[in-house]
Amino acid sequence: QQKVQQSPESLSVPEGGMASFNCTSSDRNFQYFWWYRQHSGEGPKALMSIFSDGDKKEGRFTAHLNKASLHVSLHIRDSQPSDSALYFCAASETGGADRLTFGKGTQLIIQP
Amino acid sequence: EAAVTQSPRNKVAVTGGKVTLSCNQTNNHNNMYWYRQDTGHGLRLIHYSYGAGSTEKGDIPDGYKASRPSQENFSLILELATPSQTSVYFCASGDRLGALQDTQYFGPGTRLLVL
């Protein structure tokens, strides 16, 4: 069973719209979460981490964590064509970014 | 920003042959990781290292060996390559400081085709 599950598999959003991604962990040891973004032909790049319940906002990106349900979400407002990419949720048992377990990813397409 | 480079960027190998993928990081990070990325599986951890001379098994280590001869370099070795090892391989580095800003920095990837 995949320990980190993401939904949806793919998402199409008009330029300027809101893109939302979901991630759930089935392992209660995973208490620390990251969101990574991967543009085609490149390696993944960290967007943000979230370790505490509630919201964390960085520019156009907002992450939300509910530790009780081990559910984390990512929202991108005012989506831009450059946001088109593969988005991964990653989880760890420790606060440092060690031994990350990744979800399968969500492909985001921004429609001009 | 952390710099991680990988070589080669593309590799074609024959079944049963030996393949060595190399990774170099210039940020003095203690930890280094090897992942493979396949459609429908996301990124899966193969081997990792906490410093020169150390290697640890990840989630899918079978068929792979790793070597960390120095702080900067981490290699992934396929002694007997098989077609099932056709994939894109990513190296990453990072520090386990327990701080909120901890993250892993990824290289550009190596595309391996085993015929």
Side-chain angles (χ1 to χ4, degrees):
Chain A
Q1 181 189 5
Q2 189 89 3
K3 288 188 174 183
V4 177
Q5 297 177 314
Q6 290 186 242
S7 64
E9 288 187 10
S10 63
L11 182 63
S12 184
V13 173
E15 185 175 351
M18 174 79 80
S20 296
F21 312 90
N22 294 298
C23 173
T24 302
S25 171
S26 61
D27 188 334
R28 287 236 151 250
N29 291 318
F30 289 161
Q31 293 283 310
Y32 306 92
F33 295 88
W34 286 258
W35 285 100
Y36 281 77
R37 179 165 77 177
Q38 182 182 27
H39 286 106
S40 180
E42 300 179 3
K45 184 175 180 180
L47 280 175
M48 59 195 304
S49 61
I50 184 164
F51 297 172
S52 303
D53 277 320
D55 292 336
K56 182 178 181 182
K57 184 177 179 181
E58 292 186 1
R60 296 185 296 112
F61 300 86
T62 300
H64 177 82
L65 173 60
N66 181 325
K67 280 197 169 186
S69 60
L70 291 179
H71 179 264
V72 60
S73 59
L74 177 69
H75 307 276
I76 307 174
R77 64 172 176 83
D78 189 24
S79 295
Q80 303 297 308
S82 59
D83 293 326
S84 293
L86 186 59
Y87 289 77
F88 289 107
C89 172
S92 174
E93 295 183 18
T94 63
D98 186 29
R99 288 220 58 169
L100 295 176
T101 297
F102 285 80
K104 294 183 179 181
T106 295
Q107 183 69 52
L108 174 65
I109 298 171
I110 303 299
Q111 303 166 327
Chain B
E1 184 165 305
V4 180
T5 56
Q6 296 182 230
S7 64
R9 293 295 312 278
N10 293 281
K11 173 76 176 178
V12 179
V14 296
T15 297
K18 182 177 180 178
V19 177
T20 300
L21 307 183
S22 299
C23 177
N24 176 273
Q25 55 100 0
T26 58
N27 295 282
N28 201 33
H29 286 157
N30 290 318
N31 302 348
M32 296 187 74
Y33 309 85
W34 276 107
Y35 296 87
R36 63 178 285 176
Q37 182 176 20
D38 304 285
T39 302
H41 288 280
L43 289 155
R44 292 180 290 175
L45 182 64
I46 306 170
H47 284 288
Y48 59 103
S49 168
Y50 289 140
S54 94
T55 61
E56 307 287 341
K57 293 181 178 180
D59 298 322
I60 54 163
D62 293 345
Y64 303 94
K65 288 173 57 178
S67 173
R68 183 87 181 269
S70 66
Q71 180 81 339
E72 298 79 19
N73 295 293
F74 191 36
S75 297
L76 185 68
I77 302 153
L78 291 66
E79 295 277 5
L80 295 170
T82 68
S84 64
Q85 293 176 312
T86 293
S87 185
V88 181
Y89 291 86
F90 287 98
C91 175
S93 74
D95 264 327
R96 187 178 55 176
L97 302 176
L100 287 177
Q101 65 269 29
D102 283 355
T103 188
Q104 290 185 16
Y105 297 88
F106 283 79
T110 293
R111 191 172 295 272
L112 174 65
L113 173 62
V114 182
L115 299 174

PDB file of all heavy atoms in Angstrom, chain B residues 49-79:
ATOM      1  N   SER B  49      23.096   7.947   2.134  1.00  0.00           N
ATOM      2  CA  SER B  49      24.352   7.990   2.874  1.00  0.00           C
ATOM      3  C   SER B  49      24.348   9.188   3.818  1.00  0.00           C
ATOM      4  O   SER B  49      23.864  10.263   3.465  1.00  0.00           O
ATOM      5  CB  SER B  49      25.520   8.101   1.896  1.00  0.00           C
ATOM      6  OG  SER B  49      26.718   8.425   2.564  1.00  0.00           O
ATOM      7  N   TYR B  50      24.932   8.965   5.008  1.00  0.00           N
ATOM      8  CA  TYR B  50      25.020  10.041   5.992  1.00  0.00           C
ATOM      9  C   TYR B  50      26.413  10.664   6.053  1.00  0.00           C
ATOM     10  O   TYR B  50      26.664  11.533   6.886  1.00  0.00           O
ATOM     11  CB  TYR B  50      24.617   9.535   7.372  1.00  0.00           C
ATOM     12  CG  TYR B  50      23.136   9.244   7.519  1.00  0.00           C
ATOM     13  CD1 TYR B  50      22.691   8.137   8.230  1.00  0.00           C
ATOM     14  CD2 TYR B  50      22.181  10.088   6.950  1.00  0.00           C
ATOM     15  CE1 TYR B  50      21.336   7.861   8.371  1.00  0.00           C
ATOM     16  CE2 TYR B  50      20.829   9.830   7.073  1.00  0.00           C
ATOM     17  CZ  TYR B  50      20.412   8.723   7.788  1.00  0.00           C
ATOM     18  OH  TYR B  50      19.068   8.466   7.916  1.00  0.00           O
ATOM     19  N   GLY B  51      27.292  10.190   5.204  1.00  0.00           N
ATOM     20  CA  GLY B  51      28.638  10.759   5.182  1.00  0.00           C
ATOM     21  C   GLY B  51      29.584   9.844   4.445  1.00  0.00           C
ATOM     22  O   GLY B  51      29.241   8.704   4.094  1.00  0.00           O
ATOM     23  N   ALA B  52      30.799  10.326   4.238  1.00  0.00           N
ATOM     24  CA  ALA B  52      31.802   9.545   3.514  1.00  0.00           C
ATOM     25  C   ALA B  52      32.000   8.187   4.176  1.00  0.00           C
ATOM     26  O   ALA B  52      32.112   8.080   5.397  1.00  0.00           O
ATOM     27  CB  ALA B  52      33.120  10.303   3.473  1.00  0.00           C
ATOM     28  N   GLY B  53      31.996   7.149   3.353  1.00  0.00           N
ATOM     29  CA  GLY B  53      32.213   5.791   3.825  1.00  0.00           C
ATOM     30  C   GLY B  53      30.971   5.066   4.282  1.00  0.00           C
ATOM     31  O   GLY B  53      31.010   3.867   4.575  1.00  0.00           O
ATOM     32  N   SER B  54      29.837   5.769   4.371  1.00  0.00           N
ATOM     33  CA  SER B  54      28.600   5.132   4.831  1.00  0.00           C
ATOM     34  C   SER B  54      27.582   5.030   3.717  1.00  0.00           C
ATOM     35  O   SER B  54      27.468   5.934   2.880  1.00  0.00           O
ATOM     36  CB  SER B  54      27.996   5.909   5.997  1.00  0.00           C
ATOM     37  OG  SER B  54      27.023   6.841   5.558  1.00  0.00           O
ATOM     38  N   THR B  55      26.889   3.898   3.668  1.00  0.00           N
ATOM     39  CA  THR B  55      25.751   3.737   2.775  1.00  0.00           C
ATOM     40  C   THR B  55      24.673   2.960   3.511  1.00  0.00           C
ATOM     41  O   THR B  55      24.976   2.100   4.350  1.00  0.00           O
ATOM     42  CB  THR B  55      26.103   2.991   1.469  1.00  0.00           C
ATOM     43  OG1 THR B  55      26.575   1.687   1.796  1.00  0.00           O
ATOM     44  CG2 THR B  55      27.147   3.739   0.662  1.00  0.00           C
ATOM     45  N   GLU B  56      23.422   3.274   3.203  1.00  0.00           N
ATOM     46  CA  GLU B  56      22.285   2.613   3.824  1.00  0.00           C
ATOM     47  C   GLU B  56      21.293   2.203   2.748  1.00  0.00           C
ATOM     48  O   GLU B  56      21.184   2.858   1.708  1.00  0.00           O
ATOM     49  CB  GLU B  56      21.575   3.565   4.804  1.00  0.00           C
ATOM     50  CG  GLU B  56      22.461   4.203   5.852  1.00  0.00           C
ATOM     51  CD  GLU B  56      22.885   3.235   6.930  1.00  0.00           C
ATOM     52  OE1 GLU B  56      22.223   2.189   7.085  1.00  0.00           O
ATOM     53  OE2 GLU B  56      23.865   3.543   7.641  1.00  0.00           O
ATOM     54  N   LYS B  57      20.563   1.123   3.002  1.00  0.00           N
ATOM     55  CA  LYS B  57      19.553   0.682   2.056  1.00  0.00           C
ATOM     56  C   LYS B  57      18.288   1.510   2.219  1.00  0.00           C
ATOM     57  O   LYS B  57      17.831   1.757   3.332  1.00  0.00           O
ATOM     58  CB  LYS B  57      19.239  -0.800   2.272  1.00  0.00           C
ATOM     59  CG  LYS B  57      20.401  -1.715   1.927  1.00  0.00           C
ATOM     60  CD  LYS B  57      20.022  -3.177   2.135  1.00  0.00           C
ATOM     61  CE  LYS B  57      21.188  -4.085   1.747  1.00  0.00           C
ATOM     62  NZ  LYS B  57      20.852  -5.519   1.943  1.00  0.00           N
ATOM     63  N   GLY B  58      17.724   1.865   1.066  1.00  0.00           N
ATOM     64  CA  GLY B  58      16.453   2.561   1.064  1.00  0.00           C
ATOM     65  C   GLY B  58      15.300   1.590   0.933  1.00  0.00           C
ATOM     66  O   GLY B  58      15.364   0.455   1.414  1.00  0.00           O
ATOM     67  N   ASP B  59      14.262   2.011   0.247  1.00  0.00           N
ATOM     68  CA  ASP B  59      13.060   1.196   0.134  1.00  0.00           C
ATOM     69  C   ASP B  59      13.133   0.145  -0.964  1.00  0.00           C
ATOM     70  O   ASP B  59      12.466  -0.879  -0.892  1.00  0.00           O
ATOM     71  CB  ASP B  59      11.849   2.115  -0.108  1.00  0.00           C
ATOM     72  CG  ASP B  59      11.622   3.067   1.046  1.00  0.00           C
ATOM     73  OD1 ASP B  59      11.800   2.654   2.209  1.00  0.00           O
ATOM     74  OD2 ASP B  59      11.268   4.245   0.796  1.00  0.00           O
ATOM     75  N   ILE B  60      13.937   0.393  -1.996  1.00  0.00           N
ATOM     76  CA  ILE B  60      14.041  -0.565  -3.118  1.00  0.00           C
ATOM     77  C   ILE B  60      15.509  -0.792  -3.486  1.00  0.00           C
ATOM     78  O   ILE B  60      15.950  -0.487  -4.583  1.00  0.00           O
ATOM     79  CB  ILE B  60      13.228  -0.098  -4.345  1.00  0.00           C
ATOM     80  CG1 ILE B  60      13.623   1.321  -4.760  1.00  0.00           C
ATOM     81  CG2 ILE B  60      11.720  -0.168  -4.075  1.00  0.00           C
ATOM     82  CD1 ILE B  60      13.167   1.678  -6.162  1.00  0.00           C
ATOM     83  N   PRO B  61      16.328  -1.405  -2.603  1.00  0.00           N
ATOM     84  CA  PRO B  61      17.765  -1.517  -2.859  1.00  0.00           C
ATOM     85  C   PRO B  61      18.189  -2.701  -3.738  1.00  0.00           C
ATOM     86  O   PRO B  61      19.331  -2.725  -4.214  1.00  0.00           O
ATOM     87  CB  PRO B  61      18.330  -1.710  -1.452  1.00  0.00           C
ATOM     88  CG  PRO B  61      17.237  -2.437  -0.731  1.00  0.00           C
ATOM     89  CD  PRO B  61      15.953  -1.898  -1.291  1.00  0.00           C
ATOM     90  N   ASP B  62      17.289  -3.654  -3.957  1.00  0.00           N
ATOM     91  CA  ASP B  62      17.689  -4.876  -4.660  1.00  0.00           C
ATOM     92  C   ASP B  62      18.171  -4.572  -6.075  1.00  0.00           C
ATOM     93  O   ASP B  62      17.495  -3.899  -6.851  1.00  0.00           O
ATOM     94  CB  ASP B  62      16.513  -5.866  -4.709  1.00  0.00           C
ATOM     95  CG  ASP B  62      16.156  -6.399  -3.337  1.00  0.00           C
ATOM     96  OD1 ASP B  62      16.990  -6.233  -2.407  1.00  0.00           O
ATOM     97  OD2 ASP B  62      15.064  -6.977  -3.187  1.00  0.00           O
ATOM     98  N   GLY B  63      19.349  -5.118  -6.402  1.00  0.00           N
ATOM     99  CA  GLY B  63      19.925  -4.919  -7.730  1.00  0.00           C
ATOM    100  C   GLY B  63      20.812  -3.699  -7.834  1.00  0.00           C
ATOM    101  O   GLY B  63      21.367  -3.424  -8.905  1.00  0.00           O
ATOM    102  N   TYR B  64      20.962  -2.968  -6.735  1.00  0.00           N
ATOM    103  CA  TYR B  64      21.767  -1.744  -6.723  1.00  0.00           C
ATOM    104  C   TYR B  64      22.779  -1.775  -5.574  1.00  0.00           C
ATOM    105  O   TYR B  64      22.501  -2.304  -4.504  1.00  0.00           O
ATOM    106  CB  TYR B  64      20.885  -0.505  -6.539  1.00  0.00           C
ATOM    107  CG  TYR B  64      19.805  -0.311  -7.560  1.00  0.00           C
ATOM    108  CD1 TYR B  64      18.509  -0.793  -7.339  1.00  0.00           C
ATOM    109  CD2 TYR B  64      20.057   0.387  -8.736  1.00  0.00           C
ATOM    110  CE1 TYR B  64      17.507  -0.606  -8.273  1.00  0.00           C
ATOM    111  CE2 TYR B  64      19.053   0.593  -9.673  1.00  0.00           C
ATOM    112  CZ  TYR B  64      17.783   0.092  -9.435  1.00  0.00           C
ATOM    113  OH  TYR B  64      16.792   0.291 -10.357  1.00  0.00           O
ATOM    114  N   LYS B  65      23.927  -1.164  -5.831  1.00  0.00           N
ATOM    115  CA  LYS B  65      24.898  -0.894  -4.777  1.00  0.00           C
ATOM    116  C   LYS B  65      25.200   0.597  -4.787  1.00  0.00           C
ATOM    117  O   LYS B  65      24.974   1.286  -5.783  1.00  0.00           O
ATOM    118  CB  LYS B  65      26.192  -1.677  -5.027  1.00  0.00           C
ATOM    119  CG  LYS B  65      26.079  -3.162  -4.791  1.00  0.00           C
ATOM    120  CD  LYS B  65      27.356  -3.883  -5.219  1.00  0.00           C
ATOM    121  CE  LYS B  65      28.581  -3.368  -4.517  1.00  0.00           C
ATOM    122  NZ  LYS B  65      29.809  -4.120  -4.914  1.00  0.00           N
ATOM    123  N   ALA B  66      25.710   1.096  -3.672  1.00  0.00           N
ATOM    124  CA  ALA B  66      26.055   2.512  -3.594  1.00  0.00           C
ATOM    125  C   ALA B  66      27.446   2.663  -3.002  1.00  0.00           C
ATOM    126  O   ALA B  66      27.926   1.788  -2.271  1.00  0.00           O
ATOM    127  CB  ALA B  66      25.033   3.276  -2.756  1.00  0.00           C
ATOM    128  N   SER B  67      28.075   3.780  -3.328  1.00  0.00           N
ATOM    129  CA  SER B  67      29.409   4.058  -2.811  1.00  0.00           C
ATOM    130  C   SER B  67      29.527   5.549  -2.517  1.00  0.00           C
ATOM    131  O   SER B  67      29.163   6.375  -3.352  1.00  0.00           O
ATOM    132  CB  SER B  67      30.473   3.632  -3.832  1.00  0.00           C
ATOM    133  OG  SER B  67      31.767   4.028  -3.420  1.00  0.00           O
ATOM    134  N   ARG B  68      30.053   5.870  -1.336  1.00  0.00           N
ATOM    135  CA  ARG B  68      30.247   7.275  -0.942  1.00  0.00           C
ATOM    136  C   ARG B  68      31.726   7.440  -0.553  1.00  0.00           C
ATOM    137  O   ARG B  68      32.104   7.365   0.609  1.00  0.00           O
ATOM    138  CB  ARG B  68      29.356   7.630   0.253  1.00  0.00           C
ATOM    139  CG  ARG B  68      29.442   9.090   0.691  1.00  0.00           C
ATOM    140  CD  ARG B  68      28.495   9.961  -0.049  1.00  0.00           C
ATOM    141  NE  ARG B  68      28.604  11.349   0.363  1.00  0.00           N
ATOM    142  CZ  ARG B  68      27.875  11.905   1.353  1.00  0.00           C
ATOM    143  NH1 ARG B  68      27.013  11.165   2.037  1.00  0.00           N
ATOM    144  NH2 ARG B  68      28.024  13.178   1.635  1.00  0.00           N
ATOM    145  N   PRO B  69      32.575   7.676  -1.547  1.00  0.00           N
ATOM    146  CA  PRO B  69      34.010   7.769  -1.265  1.00  0.00           C
ATOM    147  C   PRO B  69      34.436   9.085  -0.617  1.00  0.00           C
ATOM    148  O   PRO B  69      35.514   9.161  -0.017  1.00  0.00           O
ATOM    149  CB  PRO B  69      34.644   7.614  -2.649  1.00  0.00           C
ATOM    150  CG  PRO B  69      33.600   8.142  -3.592  1.00  0.00           C
ATOM    151  CD  PRO B  69      32.285   7.764  -2.979  1.00  0.00           C
ATOM    152  N   SER B  70      33.603  10.106  -0.735  1.00  0.00           N
ATOM    153  CA  SER B  70      33.944  11.412  -0.186  1.00  0.00           C
ATOM    154  C   SER B  70      32.666  12.163   0.160  1.00  0.00           C
ATOM    155  O   SER B  70      31.563  11.720  -0.183  1.00  0.00           O
ATOM    156  CB  SER B  70      34.775  12.226  -1.185  1.00  0.00           C
ATOM    157  OG  SER B  70      33.995  12.533  -2.338  1.00  0.00           O
ATOM    158  N   GLN B  71      32.807  13.293   0.845  1.00  0.00           N
ATOM    159  CA  GLN B  71      31.642  14.104   1.182  1.00  0.00           C
ATOM    160  C   GLN B  71      30.890  14.527  -0.073  1.00  0.00           C
ATOM    161  O   GLN B  71      29.665  14.623  -0.085  1.00  0.00           O
ATOM    162  CB  GLN B  71      32.113  15.357   1.959  1.00  0.00           C
ATOM    163  CG  GLN B  71      31.021  16.306   2.392  1.00  0.00           C
ATOM    164  CD  GLN B  71      30.319  15.863   3.660  1.00  0.00           C
ATOM    165  OE1 GLN B  71      30.362  14.692   4.026  1.00  0.00           O
ATOM    166  NE2 GLN B  71      29.696  16.801   4.342  1.00  0.00           N
ATOM    167  N   GLU B  72      31.622  14.809  -1.163  1.00  0.00           N
ATOM    168  CA  GLU B  72      31.025  15.386  -2.345  1.00  0.00           C
ATOM    169  C   GLU B  72      30.415  14.375  -3.309  1.00  0.00           C
ATOM    170  O   GLU B  72      29.549  14.726  -4.103  1.00  0.00           O
ATOM    171  CB  GLU B  72      32.078  16.201  -3.120  1.00  0.00           C
ATOM    172  CG  GLU B  72      32.669  17.377  -2.366  1.00  0.00           C
ATOM    173  CD  GLU B  72      33.736  16.962  -1.360  1.00  0.00           C
ATOM    174  OE1 GLU B  72      34.279  15.835  -1.477  1.00  0.00           O
ATOM    175  OE2 GLU B  72      34.021  17.748  -0.442  1.00  0.00           O
ATOM    176  N   ASN B  73      30.896  13.133  -3.288  1.00  0.00           N
ATOM    177  CA  ASN B  73      30.533  12.182  -4.341  1.00  0.00           C
ATOM    178  C   ASN B  73      29.766  10.968  -3.820  1.00  0.00           C
ATOM    179  O   ASN B  73      30.094  10.403  -2.765  1.00  0.00           O
ATOM    180  CB  ASN B  73      31.797  11.710  -5.066  1.00  0.00           C
ATOM    181  CG  ASN B  73      32.480  12.854  -5.799  1.00  0.00           C
ATOM    182  OD1 ASN B  73      31.942  13.397  -6.756  1.00  0.00           O
ATOM    183  ND2 ASN B  73      33.659  13.235  -5.335  1.00  0.00           N
ATOM    184  N   PHE B  74      28.771  10.579  -4.595  1.00  0.00           N
ATOM    185  CA  PHE B  74      27.924   9.428  -4.241  1.00  0.00           C
ATOM    186  C   PHE B  74      27.572   8.729  -5.536  1.00  0.00           C
ATOM    187  O   PHE B  74      27.031   9.345  -6.454  1.00  0.00           O
ATOM    188  CB  PHE B  74      26.667   9.944  -3.526  1.00  0.00           C
ATOM    189  CG  PHE B  74      25.825   8.897  -2.881  1.00  0.00           C
ATOM    190  CD1 PHE B  74      26.387   7.778  -2.280  1.00  0.00           C
ATOM    191  CD2 PHE B  74      24.444   9.037  -2.841  1.00  0.00           C
ATOM    192  CE1 PHE B  74      25.596   6.816  -1.653  1.00  0.00           C
ATOM    193  CE2 PHE B  74      23.637   8.088  -2.217  1.00  0.00           C
ATOM    194  CZ  PHE B  74      24.217   6.979  -1.620  1.00  0.00           C
ATOM    195  N   SER B  75      27.906   7.453  -5.644  1.00  0.00           N
ATOM    196  CA  SER B  75      27.672   6.712  -6.872  1.00  0.00           C
ATOM    197  C   SER B  75      26.621   5.632  -6.670  1.00  0.00           C
ATOM    198  O   SER B  75      26.492   5.069  -5.575  1.00  0.00           O
ATOM    199  CB  SER B  75      28.974   6.051  -7.348  1.00  0.00           C
ATOM    200  OG  SER B  75      29.937   7.020  -7.658  1.00  0.00           O
ATOM    201  N   LEU B  76      25.908   5.330  -7.725  1.00  0.00           N
ATOM    202  CA  LEU B  76      24.952   4.222  -7.747  1.00  0.00           C
ATOM    203  C   LEU B  76      25.456   3.224  -8.770  1.00  0.00           C
ATOM    204  O   LEU B  76      25.748   3.604  -9.910  1.00  0.00           O
ATOM    205  CB  LEU B  76      23.559   4.717  -8.116  1.00  0.00           C
ATOM    206  CG  LEU B  76      22.445   3.671  -8.056  1.00  0.00           C
ATOM    207  CD1 LEU B  76      22.193   3.247  -6.608  1.00  0.00           C
ATOM    208  CD2 LEU B  76      21.160   4.202  -8.680  1.00  0.00           C
ATOM    209  N   ILE B  77      25.557   1.958  -8.364  1.00  0.00           N
ATOM    210  CA  ILE B  77      26.167   0.936  -9.217  1.00  0.00           C
ATOM    211  C   ILE B  77      25.161  -0.166  -9.496  1.00  0.00           C
ATOM    212  O   ILE B  77      24.555  -0.724  -8.565  1.00  0.00           O
ATOM    213  CB  ILE B  77      27.405   0.351  -8.527  1.00  0.00           C
ATOM    214  CG1 ILE B  77      28.398   1.476  -8.213  1.00  0.00           C
ATOM    215  CG2 ILE B  77      28.061  -0.715  -9.411  1.00  0.00           C
ATOM    216  CD1 ILE B  77      29.292   1.185  -7.038  1.00  0.00           C
ATOM    217  N   LEU B  78      24.987  -0.457 -10.776  1.00  0.00           N
ATOM    218  CA  LEU B  78      24.176  -1.583 -11.203  1.00  0.00           C
ATOM    219  C   LEU B  78      25.147  -2.623 -11.727  1.00  0.00           C
ATOM    220  O   LEU B  78      25.707  -2.470 -12.810  1.00  0.00           O
ATOM    221  CB  LEU B  78      23.200  -1.171 -12.304  1.00  0.00           C
ATOM    222  CG  LEU B  78      22.033  -0.231 -11.939  1.00  0.00           C
ATOM    223  CD1 LEU B  78      22.498   1.154 -11.527  1.00  0.00           C
ATOM    224  CD2 LEU B  78      21.062  -0.137 -13.110  1.00  0.00           C
ATOM    225  N   GLU B  79      25.415  -3.664 -10.945  1.00  0.00           N
ATOM    226  CA  GLU B  79      26.429  -4.656 -11.324  1.00  0.00           C
ATOM    227  C   GLU B  79      25.990  -5.462 -12.546  1.00  0.00           C
ATOM    228  O   GLU B  79      26.795  -5.745 -13.438  1.00  0.00           O
ATOM    229  CB  GLU B  79      26.695  -5.602 -10.144  1.00  0.00           C
ATOM    230  CG  GLU B  79      27.318  -4.929  -8.933  1.00  0.00           C
ATOM    231  CD  GLU B  79      28.837  -4.790  -9.053  1.00  0.00           C
ATOM    232  OE1 GLU B  79      29.395  -5.133 -10.122  1.00  0.00           O
ATOM    233  OE2 GLU B  79      29.454  -4.324  -8.084  1.00  0.00           O
TER     234      GLU B  79
END
